[in-house]
Amino acid sequence: MAVRPTTRRGILRTTFLFLNAMTTVPMFTILILKVLYWCSLYHAIQTDNMYLLTTFLAYSLYIFLDKSPTKGGWNLSPEWQRWFHNYPGFRYLAEYFQGRIIKEKDLDPTQQYIFVYHPHGIIGIGFCCLLATNGADFDKHFPGIERKSVTLNAVFLAPIFREWILANGFISANKATLVKTLQEQSIVLVAGGAAEALHTQRDAFKLHLQNRKGFVKLAMETGKALIPCLGFGENEIFDTLATSKADGGWRGVTHWLQQSFMRVTSISPPIITNPIPRPVQLSVVVGAPLEMDATKSVDENHKVYTNGLRELYDKHATKLGYGHVKLEIL
């Protein structure tokens, strides 16, 4: 079973943290901003407000023409970057999940690393809240480690939300962008992607990793070490409808539709059966750097990474209440 929060909070504090979670969890933020965007556009059309309509048109063109996500994101000053990473909403979100970072080793601030987060979950809350930002004091755990966070190109098409994540140091999952970024900063990414999101179920830790080797190739080409990061509790936050190719009837059809949608859009549509995020304890274990040997094959280095990942999981699973959950690499 999931590890529940152990602290006692007053009803006002609990309510506040819940409301913050319902606006700060990325998928809810996207939904809220989209509703505001389209309602505003509808109002502009209904009132025949040419100024607003022109603004919407110009902004829509800007979304499609702006190349900053593939050019390393926004180049904010360190002060502004810290301000966005330290946004109080992220800290309250971490408090809602009793989020914490458990580190295996101090990191050299003069080096760049590739942080690889597992599992994807529905939206990667451990990735967004604990690693991409300072919700759980990443900057104090790893002083001097500047990083950019990686997401799909499609996410940068979300109105207004795109500016919010650009301000928080997000960049496109584009190889040239990642190679260039790693010359000066570390990056944080989720290797399992959309396919792994479909395996989000409680008491399961299924990683879609067997054929995911791009991040290993990136580490080999750039000479940067991989850092495995495990989010214990990520899969317990939301429940989803489990489907598979072997299912018959409507479940089989649902699985086919999910896979087809993912192939076309690169985004998976897991069916969430509880839209309210469960306040389980979220612990992100940050492992020691794993060096990739450029003289060996991609498969050999991939095995080094997956073996290190299994060792990290076995070391912490029981202590964090997940000893009964098997790590599966698909």
Side-chain angles (χ1 to χ4, degrees), residues 292-328:
M292 298 293 103
D293 189 343
T295 64
K296 295 183 179 180
S297 69
V298 174
D299 288 342
E300 289 176 306
N301 280 297
H302 186 267
K303 187 173 182 179
V304 169
Y305 179 80
T306 55
N307 287 343
L309 191 65
R310 289 186 184 278
E311 291 176 6
L312 188 66
Y313 184 89
D314 292 340
K315 180 178 179 180
H316 292 274
T318 300
K319 292 186 291 185
L320 297 176
Y322 293 88
H324 63 291
V325 180
K326 180 183 177 182
L327 170 63
E328 299 180 60

Side-chain angles (χ1 to χ4, degrees), residues 22-130:
M22 294 301 291
T23 56
T24 311
V25 170
M27 67 180 186
F28 296 136
T29 307
I30 292 174
L31 178 61
I32 292 169
L33 292 176
K34 278 190 174 181
V35 169
L36 291 175
Y37 179 84
W38 290 110
C39 285
S40 300
L41 179 57
Y42 176 78
H43 172 74
I45 294 172
Q46 288 294 102
T47 58
D48 199 25
N49 189 320
M50 293 306 298
Y51 174 76
L52 281 179
L53 288 173
T54 302
T55 301
F56 274 105
L57 177 61
Y59 179 62
S60 298
L61 288 173
Y62 167 73
I63 288 177
F64 285 99
L65 297 177
D66 178 38
K67 301 299 181 184
S68 57
T70 61
K71 300 294 183 182
W74 285 359
N75 187 25
L76 299 180
S77 68
E79 293 76 20
W80 274 108
Q81 193 65 83
R82 279 194 296 272
W83 189 91
F84 282 106
H85 279 169
N86 291 328
Y87 168 64
F90 297 136
R91 294 188 178 277
Y92 295 134
L93 186 61
E95 182 181 346
Y96 179 79
F97 294 110
Q98 284 198 35
R100 57 177 175 170
I101 291 175
I102 301 172
K103 71 174 180 178
E104 289 279 290
K105 187 177 181 180
D106 291 332
L107 300 179
D108 184 351
T110 65
Q111 299 296 315
Q112 293 81 43
Y113 303 94
I114 302 174
F115 294 83
V116 189
Y117 182 74
H118 313 274
H120 185 285
I122 293 297
I123 199 70
I125 292 178
F127 159 73
C128 297
C129 179
L130 276 63

